[in-house]
Amino acid sequence: MLLDLLHLLTTPAPQAQRRLGYLRDSIWLMSRARRCRRAWAPHLEASRAVMRAAIAACERRDTAVVLGSGLLLDVPLEDLAASFRRVVLVDAVHLRSARRAIRAFPNVEALTADLSGAMALMTGAAHDLAPRLPPVCAEPATGLVISANLLSQLPIRPVERLEASRHPLGAWEPSAGDAFGRRIVEGHLKALAGLKARVCLVTDIDEVGEDRQGQVRARHDLLYGVRLETPERAWTWELAPFGETARNRRLIHRVVGFSDWRP
Ligand SMILES: C[S@@+](CC[C@H](N)C(=O)[O-])C[C@H]1O[C@@H](n2cnc3c(N)ncnc32)[C@H](O)[C@@H]1O
């Protein structure tokens, strides 16, 4: 808890990311990853395996971009740095541990950017969703773009904020949050679909809350009704083992991976 507070106070992050809760989320993710290290290991390895398959099959080896690089837990950074001339890691927040890891590779750089298109809307700087991918994704030299366990995360803060404020998309209706979440998910996929580079997509798609008898107590669609194609690989991620969020309930996410995603 104290360590989290120290990170919150000392991590360099833009004001918007601080104010909108992205920095807090990253620190929280880091703490949970530490507590759940063993439960998360198979998911992280499966994610890296899909990304490694994409790297191995990639023909253009100049630039690779990782969207949602975050703590670099599921990103095979060494493989990327060894395979590409330039690697660009994009996230709303880069914590110190990630910055340290990046410094070890002279051809890896961090780019801080909003990938939902909603941050400017949330701060009142825009009236609708803005473009979502940094220009490097569309550069001719870019051979690989990886969306790294990001898609389901993109709508979380914007939808929460919309639901709390009943703003800025007009009068609030119960379905407005879901529709907004869906637009953000669809927007990311549409932006990826427009790229010339190979796209590797790894994302969780739904969450199940299970009791100690294995009974499903809750189910939550993380992609707001957006359906993906049949994945190359699929697995489960025990996001919160028993005792992490509730004594007698654990949270399990279904995850899909595509080393060469095309809509
Ligand atoms: C589940 S984590 C992905 C894990 C990450 N690939 C890793 O290995 O640690 C989701 C990431 O998405 C990032 N994220 C969430 N919303 C974002 C946004 N609007 N723009 C950019 N990054 C965002 C978070 O900061 C977080 O690092």
Side-chain angles (χ1 to χ4, degrees):
M1 205 64 171
L2 271 178
L3 199 60
D4 287 2
L5 186 62
L6 189 70
H7 279 288
L8 196 59
L9 294 173
T10 61
T11 302
Q15 201 49 39
Q17 271 84 331
R18 273 181 189 279
R19 199 149 52 83
L20 298 173
Y22 288 91
L23 177 57
R24 219 171 31 238
D25 288 350
S26 283
I27 293 167
W28 171 88
L29 185 75
M30 182 174 63
S31 298
R32 179 176 274 189
R34 204 179 298 125
R35 286 193 302 275
C36 304
R37 190 178 304 138
R38 202 176 313 163
W40 285 22
H43 157 67
L44 299 178
E45 191 40 52
S47 300
R48 284 191 290 261
V50 173
M51 296 177 206
R52 284 195 181 106
I55 294 167
C58 194
E59 281 160 16
R60 254 178 299 155
R61 296 291 184 103
D62 188 88
T63 301
V65 183
V66 182
L67 306 171
S69 52
L71 307 171
L72 298 170
L73 301 173
D74 55 32
V75 178
L77 188 59
E78 275 188 36
D79 301 58
L80 281 164
S83 307
F84 290 87
R85 182 187 66 81
R86 180 186 180 210
V87 179
V88 184
L89 305 176
V90 191
D91 203 286
V93 174
H94 301 277
L95 293 187
R96 279 187 198 287
S97 58
R99 288 178 192 275
R100 250 196 319 273
I102 292 166
R103 274 202 295 275
F105 302 97
N107 59 336
V108 179
E109 60 197 84
L111 176 66
T112 303
D114 167 37
L115 295 165
S116 68
M119 223 182 262
L121 187 66
M122 290 192 280
T123 57
H127 296 297
D128 205 347
L129 292 173
R132 300 159 178 87
L133 296 185
V136 63
C137 294
E139 282 173 9
T142 297
L144 176 63
V145 175
I146 300 175
S147 177
N149 281 303
L150 165 76
L151 184 62
S152 67
Q153 301 292 302
L154 291 174
I156 294 177
R157 283 284 166 191
V159 168
E160 225 175 68
R161 201 164 170 93
L162 170 69
E163 291 181 342
S165 67
R166 303 178 179 207
H167 177 79
L169 296 184
W172 163 251
E173 292 165 27
S175 59
D178 287 351
F180 190 43
R182 189 181 172 103
R183 272 187 72 199
I184 292 174
V185 170
E186 286 174 339
H188 185 67
L189 293 175
K190 191 170 170 212
L192 293 179
L195 296 174
K196 291 227 164 35
R198 183 188 190 97
V199 171
C200 171
L201 173 65
V202 179
T203 181
D204 41 3
I205 55 174
D206 65 21
E207 177 180 277
V208 158
E210 199 180 270
D211 68 17
R212 286 189 185 269
Q213 284 68 49
Q215 295 283 331
V216 171
R217 294 294 174 188
R219 192 181 288 276
H220 180 44
D221 179 356
L222 301 172
L223 300 187
Y224 293 91
V226 175
R227 297 279 167 261
L228 294 172
E229 298 70 19
T230 306
E232 195 180 308
R233 288 196 58 179
W235 62 92
T236 55
W237 171 16
E238 191 179 20
L239 181 86
F242 293 114
E244 173 63 21
T245 56
R247 206 169 147 204
N248 292 316
R249 189 170 295 198
R250 62 178 182 155
L251 301 177
I252 299 171
H253 284 200
R254 262 194 316 147
V255 188
V256 294
F258 304 79
S259 68
D260 188 12
W261 179 76
R262 288 162 220 252

